[in-house]
């Protein structure tokens, strides 16, 4: 596999063809924040918190580092005022859904996000899709999925599958950046086995 030379935050970086900017940056110790990324899963590009600026073919664009493949002579910036503003706004929007998420609070501190900028619509889910994709891609069980669309979109366990598969698994639980999954799971457990509910 061929190797390409690019520049990330002023640093010369060699990366294999086909690698993403996120992988190339990590290989030289440059950390780009992510929320919906997991190394075992297909890249999703959903949360956009990994947005970076690239100069390519005479244009500057903002792209998702987890999806964008490296190119020869690509110039990448992972920390600019524009990117800080984008990440700040994204975190503020997500905090409206999950204000108690420790992961989001930590990002809010890093990017100076105001946790009260947007009216609270607490759903706990920030639509990262980690649980849904992990269960489908790794476990091949499809025990959890999305329901509804737009702002009402949420994750939901499929009771018949969850009751059979999740007790002994729970592998997707630690992936959830807001702990929404645990909340949904407890709900399903209560619905499926009412006598077990506290
Ligand atoms: S706990 Fe359930 S939903 Fe989560 S990965 Fe395991 S089987 Fe899938």
């Amino acid at each position: 596999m061929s190797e390409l030379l690019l520049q990330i935050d002023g640093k010369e970086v060699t990366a294999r063809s086909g690698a993403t900017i996120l992988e190339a940056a990590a290989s030289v110790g440059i950390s780009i924040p992510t929320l919906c990324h997991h190394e075992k899963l297909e890249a999703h590009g959903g949360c956009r918190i990994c947005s970076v600026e690239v100069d390519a073919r005479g244009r500057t664009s903002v792209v998702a580092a987890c999806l964008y493949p490296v190119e020869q002579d690509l110039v990448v910036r992972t920390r600019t005022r524009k990117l800080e503003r984008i990440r700040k706004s994204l975190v503020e929007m997500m905090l409206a859904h999950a204000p108690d998420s420790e992961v989001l609070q930590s990002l809010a501190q890093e990017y100076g996000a105001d946790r009260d900028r947007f009216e609270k619509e607490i759903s706990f889910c920030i639509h990262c899709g980690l649980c849904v994709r992990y269960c489908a891609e790794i476990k091949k069980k499809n025990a959890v999925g999305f329901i509804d669309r737009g702002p009402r979109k949420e994750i939901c366990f499929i009771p018949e599958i969850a009751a059979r598969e999740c007790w002994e698994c729970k592998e997707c639980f630690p992936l959830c950046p807001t702990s929404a999954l645990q909340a949904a799971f407890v709900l399903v457990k209560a619905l499926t086995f009412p006598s077990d509910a506290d």
Side-chain angles (χ1 to χ4, degrees):
M1 194 167 285
S2 63
E3 296 214 312
L4 303 170
L5 189 65
L6 65 155
Q7 195 189 90
I8 306 179
D9 292 344
K11 209 174 196 174
E12 299 281 304
V13 180
T14 305
R16 65 173 168 80
S17 161
T20 62
I21 292 174
L22 187 68
E23 291 166 330
S27 74
V28 293
I30 296 173
S31 171
I32 298 172
T34 62
L35 281 169
C36 70
H37 181 73
H38 189 290
E39 59 188 19
K40 287 186 181 168
L41 303 179
E42 288 290 318
H44 181 53
C47 73
R48 312 309 282 191
I49 205 86
C50 71
S51 292
V52 294
E53 276 181 15
V54 297
D55 295 340
R57 293 174 288 282
R59 285 186 55 198
T60 298
S61 345
V62 174
V63 301
C66 70
L67 288 175
Y68 200 95
V70 293
E71 295 170 10
Q72 179 68 30
D73 300 326
L74 190 69
V75 174
V76 182
R77 290 175 293 279
T78 71
R79 293 228 162 216
T80 64
R81 291 182 68 150
K82 182 176 183 177
L83 294 172
E84 305 259 318
R85 276 202 307 276
I86 290 172
R87 289 179 190 148
K88 175 176 179 287
S89 294
L90 288 169
V91 171
E92 285 168 340
M93 283 189 273
M94 287 187 271
L95 276 168
H97 294 291
D100 296 326
S101 160
E102 287 180 14
V103 175
L104 292 182
Q105 285 175 3
S106 159
L107 284 169
Q109 198 164 13
E110 186 173 352
Y111 293 102
D114 174 1
R115 56 179 285 160
D116 297 318
R117 178 169 169 204
F118 294 106
E119 194 177 336
K120 297 281 175 295
E121 289 178 59
I122 296 174
S123 60
F124 304 104
C125 184
I126 57 167
H127 308 154
C128 70
L130 281 171
C131 56
V132 175
R133 290 180 292 131
Y134 187 89
C135 193
E137 292 177 32
I138 307 292
K139 302 298 293 185
K140 317 264 185 234
K141 299 294 184 190
N142 297 302
V144 61
F146 279 113
I147 51 165
D148 234 322
R149 288 170 172 237
R152 291 207 305 273
K153 183 174 162 184
E154 280 184 45
I155 54 130
C156 180
F157 283 89
I158 315 302
E160 316 81 75
I161 307 176
R164 196 174 61 237
E165 305 290 347
C166 300
W167 297 154
E168 303 299 325
C169 175
K170 300 187 176 72
E171 288 176 29
C172 60
F173 278 43
L175 307 184
C176 178
T178 72
S179 299
L181 203 52
Q182 285 90 330
F185 186 76
V186 170
L187 180 63
V188 168
K189 187 179 176 191
L191 291 174
T192 313
F193 299 104
S195 59
D196 288 351
D198 289 333

